[in-house]
Amino acid sequence: MTDATTTPEPGRSRRVARWVSRGGLSTLIFFIPLLVSFGLFSWWPILRSLLLSLQRTNFLTSEWVGLDNFARVLRDPLLLTAVSNTLWFTVLAFVIGFPVPVLLAVFIAELRRARKVASVLVYLPVIFPPVVAVLLWKAFFDPSPQGVFNSVLGWFGLGPVAWLNNGDLAMPSIVLQATWASFGTATIIYLATLMSIQTELYDAAEADGAGVLRRFFHITLPQMRAILLVMFLLQVIGTFQVFTEPYIMTNGGPENRTVTVLLLIYRYAFISGDYGRATALSILLALVLSALSAVYLRATRRWSTS
């Protein structure tokens, strides 16, 4: 009598042979280098960071300290300052930077002959290397009367203003530069979304007597809500990781008014040489952003698809 456990083998063998004959093996062979490189450059650094967060190391000698790095991060009085500064940057970036690409995209979409030229001009700031763009704006914010912005204010009998040396103006100044450097990409994405909206909707609304504002709020925004939600989430994640602008423009000053979480991580690692604490703060930031993203996506899932 044949053993019941051996009966599925022929069927399994046929499925494997069919999979190989259909190119499954060659596909797997081509996929292995991608899988290995992705694991080596993406997942291995994550696992290595988890190990570093539990160690006190200078990469020559290591000592296991458990959760002590996390405790020292949470006890650092500068952490609350960095978090509050980062939140303030996020709020300002949302108020200043989020509506600008939407409005520009709507304006460019209304153009007929100059749409391509306007799209190129809007995207130009993105092609500047980040460091070059930051240094350029740092020169614009020169606090002397000869500075670019102070010269403009001087035409109206105002100024000079100590932009980056003023604790109240430093962060808004950084947000202006960050908005200028990044709004081009968002504008092009919104413009592509607008171009995909059926023109019949606008024609019908215009025939019913709807003005520009009514068409914008009742047609444009509802059609763009899915991409708006995604872009908002990406902006929040990006602003929580702001580093280049405050590092180059103010180095966290004046009086730590522009120290962000990523700048604090940099100070832990490359100023204090405390790589374990820097990694611990990085992991805490990643956990916060992951939780925030999960809550945000769950809260907006129904609204984005309805």
Side-chain angles (χ1 to χ4, degrees):
M1 185 172 62
T2 306
D3 189 357
T5 59
T6 61
T7 53
E9 291 300 326
R12 187 180 297 111
S13 300
R14 284 195 296 270
R15 288 195 298 271
V16 173
R18 191 181 304 115
W19 176 73
V20 173
S21 64
R22 292 180 178 178
L25 183 60
S26 59
T27 302
L28 180 62
I29 292 175
F30 280 104
F31 182 69
I32 286 176
L34 177 63
L35 186 63
V36 171
S37 61
F38 182 78
L40 182 62
F41 295 105
S42 296
W43 288 105
W44 170 243
I46 295 176
L47 296 176
R48 180 60 176 160
S49 298
L50 292 174
L51 293 176
L52 283 176
S53 67
L54 303 176
Q55 298 176 337
R56 185 171 298 165
T57 178
N58 57 4
F59 293 113
L60 296 177
T61 58
S62 301
E63 175 188 0
W64 287 95
V65 295
L67 299 178
D68 182 62
N69 287 324
F70 293 92
R72 290 193 298 131
V73 166
L74 297 176
R75 288 196 302 264
D76 188 353
L78 193 55
L79 176 63
L80 183 59
T81 301
V83 171
S84 61
N85 290 339
T86 303
L87 291 175
W88 179 228
F89 180 91
T90 302
V91 171
L92 289 176
F94 172 74
V95 173
I96 299 174
F98 193 74
V100 170
V102 178
L103 297 177
L104 278 175
V106 173
F107 173 76
I108 294 174
E110 293 295 326
L111 299 177
R112 293 295 183 263
R113 298 180 179 178
R115 182 181 299 165
K116 293 183 179 179
V117 176
S119 300
V120 172
L121 293 177
V122 164
Y123 195 74
L124 275 179
V126 181
I127 69 176
F128 281 85
V131 174
V132 174
V134 173
L135 290 175
L136 179 66
W137 275 72
K138 186 176 181 180
F140 290 167
F141 284 124
D142 186 347
S144 68
Q146 290 74 34
V148 175
F149 292 148
N150 282 336
S151 297
V152 174
L153 291 178
W155 299 342
F156 304 95
L158 302 175
V161 176
W163 300 96
L164 299 178
N165 297 327
N166 187 315
D168 295 327
L169 296 177
M171 189 63 80
S173 301
I174 292 174
V175 171
L176 285 177
Q177 189 282 326
T179 300
W180 175 85
S182 61
F183 76 89
T185 300
T187 302
I188 297 301
I189 294 175
Y190 292 141
L191 182 61
T193 305
L194 288 173
M195 293 296 99
S196 66
I197 299 176
Q198 297 178 359
T199 57
E200 291 81 0
L201 297 175
Y202 292 105
D203 294 337
E206 190 172 357
D208 292 337
V212 176
L213 291 179
R214 290 187 62 185
R215 294 199 301 269
F216 177 74
F217 285 105
H218 293 283
I219 297 177
T220 304
L221 285 184
Q223 293 292 323
M224 294 178 63
R225 58 186 172 185
I227 191 65
L228 284 172
L229 290 173
V230 173
M231 294 298 291
F232 177 76
L233 178 61
L234 292 177
Q235 178 168 332
V236 170
I237 294 175
T239 53
F240 266 81
Q241 301 180 75
V242 61
F243 169 76
T244 305
E245 291 82 0
Y247 173 69
I248 296 178
M249 297 181 78
T250 62
N251 196 25
E255 298 178 350
N256 292 325
R257 295 287 294 272
T258 58
V259 172
T260 60
V261 174
L262 242 64
L263 187 54
L264 184 59
I265 293 174
Y266 169 83
R267 289 183 176 182
Y268 284 160
F270 299 104
I271 303 300
S272 302
D274 197 342
Y275 299 102
R277 190 161 55 153
T279 309
L281 182 53
S282 301
I283 291 175
L284 289 175
L285 177 62
L287 291 176
V288 169
L289 290 177
S290 299
L292 180 64
S293 302
V295 172
Y296 176 81
L297 292 175
R298 184 175 182 84
T300 58
R301 181 182 304 169
R302 180 179 300 177
W303 188 81
S304 63
T305 57
S306 60

